[in-house]
């Protein structure tokens, strides 16, 4: 059963990722941005943000991804929606394609589904076992060719 759950995860998660990224991977454009560290007004923390220019206007993108470190002045790739350039993201595997919150939620769902399936099928009642065995024996034999 764990093989089926693993196959479902391997198939479903990439499809989920491919069709839920914002800005959309297929309809967006790319540019270069520069990382700067600015102080967040609400939390008073210094966070990395990426600045990029589109049509002579400067835009800011948050770049504070877990396990991702940047240096001041580092150039990064930016993916942005041409219709709304404020809808942008730093284009990288960790942060754009794989997000830790989604990955943990997806794993939790599949582990939960596996636990439910294992709990339902692991301890069948004796009556259910007898019924299953009788059903196998009393199954009518099919004819080789239908008339």
């Amino acid at each position: 059963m764990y093989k089926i759950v693993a196959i479902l995860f391997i198939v479903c998660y990439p499809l989920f990722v491919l069709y839920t990224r914002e800005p959309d991977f297929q309809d967006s454009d790319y540019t270069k941005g520069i990382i700067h560290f600015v102080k967040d007004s609400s939390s008073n923390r210094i966070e990395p943000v990426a600045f990029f220019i589109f049509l002579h206007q400067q835009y800011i993108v948050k770049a504070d991804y877990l396990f991702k470190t940047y240096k001041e002045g580092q150039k990064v790739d930016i993916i942005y929606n041409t219709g709304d350039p404020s809808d942008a993201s730093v284009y990288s595997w960790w942060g754009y394609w794989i997000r830790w919150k989604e990955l943990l939620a997806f794993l939790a769902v599949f582990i939960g589904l596996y636990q439910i399936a294992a709990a339902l099928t692991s301890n069948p009642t004796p009556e259910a076992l007898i019924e299953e065995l009788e059903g196998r024996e009393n199954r009518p034999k099919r004819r080789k060719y239908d008339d």
Side-chain angles (χ1 to χ4, degrees), residues 22-24 27-30 52 54-55 57 59 79-88:
E22 288 292 330
D24 188 32
D27 295 337
S28 298
D29 283 337
Y30 304 90
F52 72 99
F54 178 71
L55 295 178
Q57 189 170 0
Y59 293 94
I79 184 169
Y80 64 94
N81 186 350
T82 54
D84 181 16
S86 63
D87 180 19

Side-chain angles (χ1 to χ4, degrees), residues 63-130:
D64 56 340
Y65 303 125
L66 187 65
F67 305 126
K68 189 85 171 171
T69 57
Y70 296 104
K71 296 177 183 173
E72 180 70 31
Q74 180 180 350
K75 290 189 178 185
V76 293
D77 292 325
I78 305 288
I79 184 169
Y80 64 94
N81 186 350
T82 54
D84 181 16
S86 63
D87 180 19
S89 179
V90 175
Y91 185 70
S92 63
W93 281 103
W94 188 258
Y96 178 74
W97 288 111
I98 300 173
R99 297 177 184 159
W100 70 275
K101 289 180 184 177
E102 290 175 352
L103 186 62
L104 286 178
F106 229 79
L107 283 172
V109 165
F110 275 109
I111 288 170
L113 288 175
Y114 176 76
Q115 293 297 327
I116 290 170
L120 290 174
T121 59
S122 65
N123 296 324
T125 62
E127 295 86 19
L129 286 174
I130 292 170

Side-chain angles (χ1 to χ4, degrees), residues 129-140:
L129 286 174
I130 292 170
E131 186 178 314
E132 184 178 341
L133 291 173
E134 286 176 355
R136 287 185 188 162
E137 294 170 358
N138 296 334
R139 199 177 291 162

Side-chain angles (χ1 to χ4, degrees), residues 6 15 17 37 43 60 63 81 85 102 104 122:
L15 289 174
V17 167
F37 290 91
S43 65
I60 300 172
N81 186 350
E102 290 175 352
L104 286 178
S122 65

